[in-house]
Every structure is written in structure tokens, then in C-alpha cells.
Amino acid sequence: MKKKIGITFIILSFVLWILIPVIPFLSFSAGVKTAIVSGLFIGGEVFFWLGALLAGKDIVKNFIQKYWRRGKKDDNPS
């Protein structure tokens, strides 16, 4: 159960990050837009790290290896 909640938190963190570029196009004042973007930024980070803690080391390690670490390209074929 903890792993499912953790994965849900990680997905939610990405959703919050995706919403940030939409905020400047809304009809709020600059101060409100700044507050919303700050809240989304902080919320995204908090949900990601809480999700990582709940999901566990093995799931986070697999996720990082699959999506962030690409195989080394050998520029020197010799």
C-alpha cells in the first residue's frame, strides 16, 4: 500500500510541475501568479520526495535508471 501511495505522489509531483507553465496565461494579478507558481514548485518537490520515501529505494532506483540515466554513448569507436 505504501508503494502505491508513493508512486501516486511521484506522479502527482510531475502533474504539478506540468501546471507551472500554464499559470502565466491565467487572469490573476502578478502577486497571485507568483504565489501559485511558488506553491506548485514547492508542492511538486514535497510530493516527489515523500513519494520517493514511501515507494522505497528499489522503485526509485529503477525509475532513475530507466528514465534519467541513458546509456553511455561511445564517441571514440577505437
Side-chain angles (χ1 to χ4, degrees):
M1 182 69 175
K2 281 178 29 176
K3 288 186 180 187
K4 288 183 181 181
I5 294 172
I7 293 170
T8 304
F9 278 4
I10 292 172
I11 292 169
L12 179 62
S13 74
F14 287 117
V15 171
L16 293 178
W17 273 96
I18 291 170
L19 289 176
I20 289 175
V22 175
I23 302 304
F25 299 107
L26 299 177
S27 62
F28 294 122
S29 67
V32 172
K33 288 179 186 179
T34 303
I36 292 171
V37 168
S38 299
L40 289 173
F41 177 79
I42 292 169
E45 288 294 318
V46 169
F47 276 115
F48 178 80
W49 290 110
L50 280 175
L53 287 173
L54 290 172
K57 180 181 175 182
D58 54 338
I59 291 178
V60 174
K61 183 179 175 183
N62 290 338
F63 183 80
I64 289 172
Q65 286 178 349
K66 186 173 182 179
Y67 294 106
W68 264 286
R69 301 215 177 165
R70 303 288 181 206
K72 287 187 176 181
K73 292 182 180 177
D74 192 12
D75 291 335
N76 189 1
S78 57

